[in-house]
Amino acid sequence: MNAPAIEFWFDFGSNYSYISVMRIEQEAAAAGARVVWRPFLLGPVFRALGWSTSPFVLQKEKGDYTWKDMQRQCRKYGLPWQRPSSFPRSAVPPTRIALANAEQPWIGEFCRRVMQLNFVDDRDIDHAGLVHEVLQAMGLPAQALWEQAQSEAWRERLRTQIGMAHQRGIFGAPTFFVGDEMFWGNDRLEDALAYCKALASER
């Protein structure tokens, strides 16, 4: 627990979050850092900024570029990729599970599986049945975990998490924090981890 921490704010419907989710645990381990998982929902953040949906949808040119860029980036990192038939997908059920279990040792695998369902298998991830499917495939007590995440306490915790994202100035995902220093975008993961290492070396 003495390893420097990188806070990882991500949304299961975010395409660039997909790339970061798939690689952050390995990259952080190599850098001697620990990941603090911060799942949240971008939709309310976008609405607070006056956007009705993702800017990749609102701005055609940006969207066209993004899908080409995703092909390049996934090829770069050796990740499978399929443009989802619905974008951005809502992902409330897996976000609740991830938030309620953010400190569990299996959280990384859970997040990777959900991301693969969205951005490789083109499955609708906004369903409790899919969450059960993932948890059961991991050998976890799906029903008990779902009931816990559905409680009013964790519903309120998700609302708080979204509010915290807005208060901290988050405007997109993935976003990384090392202390109070913010890094935005999958292509800034290495910068965030380098900052982690620099802080650790100063201790």
Side-chain angles (χ1 to χ4, degrees):
M1 293 301 291
N2 292 326
I6 177 170
E7 289 186 48
F8 177 35
W9 292 77
F10 66 98
D11 183 314
F12 285 112
S14 159
N15 52 299
Y16 286 112
S17 288
Y18 159 64
I19 301 176
S20 290
V21 163
M22 302 306 277
R23 65 195 192 94
I24 191 170
E25 279 195 322
Q26 183 176 353
E27 296 288 340
R34 61 184 177 88
V35 181
V36 179
W37 298 81
R38 300 286 195 222
F40 76 114
L41 299 175
L42 263 177
V45 173
F46 284 160
R47 287 192 289 275
L49 294 170
W51 303 336
S52 59
T53 185
S54 167
F56 301 153
V57 175
L58 294 174
Q59 302 174 35
K60 180 181 182 301
E61 293 79 8
K62 182 177 285 188
D64 290 346
Y65 170 82
T66 295
W67 300 127
K68 291 180 181 178
D69 188 53
M70 284 299 299
Q71 292 178 338
R72 289 194 300 259
Q73 293 298 304
C74 288
R75 188 163 54 244
K76 172 183 176 181
Y77 294 111
L79 295 173
W81 162 255
Q82 179 176 327
R83 177 178 172 178
S85 55
S86 177
F87 179 83
R89 280 193 170 113
S90 179
V92 175
T95 304
R96 285 181 179 155
I97 289 290
L99 180 61
N101 297 277
E103 297 183 4
Q104 294 295 329
W106 48 262
I107 183 62
E109 181 182 352
F110 173 79
C111 292
R112 288 190 293 272
R113 286 179 181 240
V114 173
M115 284 295 197
Q116 176 149 335
L117 287 170
N118 191 12
F119 292 107
V120 180
D121 302 331
D122 196 21
R123 298 272 305 276
D124 187 351
I125 59 174
D126 197 34
H127 287 288
L130 182 138
V131 166
H132 278 72
E133 178 183 322
V134 172
L135 294 171
Q136 288 169 350
M138 293 173 62
L140 296 169
Q143 187 60 34
L145 289 169
W146 176 246
E147 289 176 0
Q148 174 201 30
Q150 278 287 94
S151 69
E152 184 54 40
W154 282 107
R155 287 172 181 262
E156 180 59 33
R157 181 67 181 84
L158 179 54
R159 289 189 284 268
T160 300
Q161 185 93 326
I162 295 167
M164 188 185 305
H166 184 65
Q167 290 171 5
R168 296 190 71 177
I170 292 176
F171 52 85
T175 294
F176 313 98
F177 282 95
V178 180
D180 292 328
E181 198 76 11
M182 183 172 80
F183 302 81
W184 170 59
N186 171 67
D187 58 347
R188 294 297 182 265
L189 173 56
E190 285 76 12
D191 290 351
L193 290 172
Y195 190 75
C196 261
K197 293 177 71 172
L199 285 184
S201 68
E202 294 172 0
R203 294 176 179 176

